[in-house]
Amino acid sequence: MKTKTQKAKRKRPNRKVMTVKKKQSQPDQRKNPTPALHRCFKHQQIRTKTRRQRKKASLLLKLSSVVFTDKRITALLFFSAKADESNDSESEKEEKTKKKKGKGKKKKERSPSPEIEFDNLEKFVMEPAPQGVTVKCRVTRDQRGMDKSLYPLYYLHLDNEKKTFLLAGRKRKKSTTSNYLISIDATDLSRGGENFVGKLRSNLMGTKFTVFDNAVNPEKALPDMSNARQELAGIIYETNVLGIKGPRRMTVIIPGMSKDNERVPLRPRNECDGLLIRFQNRRMENLIELHNKTPVWNEETASHVLNFNGRVTQASIKNFQIVHNKDLDYIVMQFGRIADDIFTLDYNYPLCAVQAFAIALSSFDGKIACE
């Protein structure tokens, strides 16, 4: 049997005894600070040195970065300025090249009419063109509307910046033959109006035309024929059915010129004494005979060609040049198409505006035996 003491021994195992040592009192730093702070001061001094060096190094780095950035900025500005200059130079070069290209592609502009001034329009359109001056004009055709498709209106303007109006013409409706009235007012195209300056009349076949001024019919004129109408021009188109004979052939007869460069008045008493009958009978006293210039055949274009010096741009049967047989280089008149309803008309001495405009109107009229 085990005794109680043995049981107690079993219940109470051996334990190591832990002795707690008292903390040794640390020396007071305040009393003798020198030995304790000596090392720390050294370390602190070393730290401060390293911090100062670091600050200086950081400051140097910052300064160097600032300088670098400044240099970089200046360099960037320099290069950007250079780039702008190069871009400007390139843009200038491109503009120059465009201008050069535009100059090459630009079409030749038609030379406008020289500055022609006048005070009296009626007097100007009846007088011959000044010698050495080509009067450049433009004819426009207005055929809008029901009636105008058959009876269009025609207008003659100077081919200048102001587009000075000269004449207007229209075909009379109630007439057995083609009869055109010519006026100096675009809104007044009546036979009895004050602005009526002339007319163009054809035969039944539309091959012969006569141009008159605005004076009185010979049957109603005075005995001395001082107020009788003058014949300004006669136009003859050679018969050419279906164009077998080639391009149009036309002859223009106008009154001769005096020594003072004035038109010789021709006032026939009847139709048997007019320009056309005189030409038919070869009575050419005080008359000038003109013909259209014969076009030259061009094999490349397979067509007849005339040199209009840039004044005509479209092919048409109505294009023609009128010359004298003695001087084929002197073009008295030329007429040609530049658009559907726009034509150029240039005339020289001895023609006047009414004569040239009437010749152009005769080319518009339909001709049974000529086309």
Side-chain angles (χ1 to χ4, degrees):
M1 293 291 291
K2 291 182 179 180
T3 59
K4 293 181 180 179
T5 55
Q6 289 177 347
K7 291 179 181 178
K9 284 180 182 179
R10 286 181 182 176
K11 292 179 181 177
R12 294 175 183 175
N14 293 328
R15 293 180 181 176
K16 289 182 179 180
V17 179
M18 299 293 294
T19 56
V20 178
K21 294 182 180 180
K22 290 183 180 180
K23 293 182 181 179
Q24 293 179 359
S25 60
Q26 293 179 355
D28 193 1
Q29 294 178 357
R30 291 180 182 176
K31 289 181 181 179
N32 51 357
T34 51
L37 289 175
H38 185 68
R39 291 179 182 174
C40 293
F41 182 77
K42 281 184 179 180
H43 288 293
Q44 198 172 10
Q45 202 171 11
I46 293 163
R47 278 185 182 179
T48 52
K49 283 182 182 178
T50 53
R51 283 178 186 173
R52 285 174 187 173
Q53 287 176 357
R54 285 175 186 172
K55 283 182 181 179
K56 283 182 181 180
S58 63
L59 284 171
L60 288 171
L61 285 170
K62 285 179 181 179
L63 288 170
S64 62
S65 64
V66 169
V67 171
F68 175 74
T69 51
D70 288 339
K71 286 180 181 179
R72 190 176 181 183
I73 289 163
T74 53
L76 285 170
L77 289 171
F78 177 76
F79 285 117
S80 63
K82 284 284 184 182
D84 291 335
E85 288 177 2
S86 63
N87 290 331
D88 291 336
S89 62
E90 285 177 3
S91 61
E92 288 175 2
K93 286 178 182 178
E94 286 177 359
E95 286 179 359
K96 286 179 181 178
T97 52
K98 283 180 182 178
K99 285 180 181 179
K100 286 180 181 178
K101 288 180 181 177
K103 285 180 180 178
K105 292 181 181 178
K106 195 174 182 180
K107 293 181 179 179
K108 291 182 180 180
E109 295 182 355
R110 289 176 289 103
S111 56
S113 178
E115 293 184 3
I116 297 172
E117 297 180 356
F118 50 84
D119 297 328
N120 190 343
L121 178 57
E122 184 176 358
K123 185 180 178 182
F124 172 77
V125 297
M126 295 299 295
E127 289 181 347
Q131 290 190 11
V133 176
T134 301
V135 183
K136 297 181 180 180
C137 306
R138 185 178 289 193
V139 177
T140 54
R141 176 174 57 187
D142 183 9
Q143 49 186 353
R144 294 171 294 179
M146 295 294 291
D147 293 338
K148 289 182 181 178
S149 60
L150 296 173
Y151 304 97
L153 294 173
Y154 301 92
Y155 303 101
L156 180 70
H157 295 80
L158 285 176
D159 195 2
N160 54 12
E161 293 181 358
K162 297 179 180 179
K163 306 296 180 188
T164 308
F165 170 79
L166 296 180
L167 294 169
R170 71 171 177 86
K171 190 175 183 179
R172 298 181 71 180
K173 296 178 183 179
K174 297 178 181 179
S175 183
T176 55
T177 61
S178 296
N179 201 326
Y180 293 83
L181 296 176
I182 301 172
S183 173
I184 55 173
D185 190 348
T187 59
D188 182 12
L189 288 162
S190 60
R191 176 69 176 82
E194 295 180 355
N195 299 307
F196 169 70
V197 291
K199 73 174 183 178
L200 173 72
R201 188 180 66 189
S202 75
N203 63 352
L204 289 171
M205 298 293 289
T207 56
K208 296 180 180 180
F209 296 82
T210 306
V211 185
F212 302 95
D213 66 358
N214 59 351
V216 183
N217 192 298
E219 296 177 357
K220 301 177 182 179
L222 297 172
D224 61 350
M225 301 291 290
S226 59
N227 63 339
R229 67 189 182 190
Q230 296 185 40
E231 287 192 5
L232 301 177
I235 307 151
I236 303 168
Y237 289 87
E238 187 178 330
T239 55
N240 186 12
V241 180
L242 300 176
I244 296 170
K245 296 180 182 179
R248 280 182 178 179
R249 294 182 182 180
M250 59 189 296
T251 303
V252 178
I253 303 100
I254 60 174
M257 306 300 292
S258 65
K259 293 180 180 179
D260 299 330
N261 296 326
E262 293 182 358
R263 189 184 306 108
V264 176
L266 179 62
R267 296 185 175 92
R269 292 183 178 272
N270 50 48
E271 292 182 357
C272 296
D273 194 27
L275 281 168
L276 297 175
I277 300 298
R278 290 190 182 189
F279 174 74
Q280 185 177 346
N281 297 328
R282 302 307 299 175
R283 293 163 52 196
M284 299 301 294
E285 185 181 357
N286 291 326
L287 298 180
I288 299 173
E289 181 181 352
L290 305 170
H291 296 274
N292 68 315
K293 194 172 183 179
T294 306
V296 180
W297 178 258
N298 189 349
E299 293 182 357
E300 293 181 359
T301 58
S303 61
H304 291 87
V305 178
L306 281 173
N307 183 14
F308 289 91
N309 295 317
R311 293 287 291 166
V312 178
T313 57
Q314 293 187 8
S316 174
I317 194 173
K318 298 176 179 64
N319 300 347
F320 63 85
Q321 289 179 337
I322 295 176
V323 295
H324 196 278
N325 288 336
K326 292 183 179 179
D327 189 1
L328 298 176
D329 294 329
Y330 181 73
I331 299 170
V332 180
M333 174 186 168
Q334 70 176 13
F335 179 78
R337 185 196 295 271
I338 59 173
D340 290 339
D341 293 316
I342 303 174
F343 304 80
T344 55
L345 188 157
D346 303 340
Y347 68 93
N348 286 285
Y349 177 88
L351 288 182
C352 68
V354 173
Q355 289 173 321
F357 188 49
I359 295 168
L361 291 176
S362 70
S363 69
F364 286 114
D365 194 66
K367 301 162 187 65
I368 298 170
C370 295
E371 296 173 357

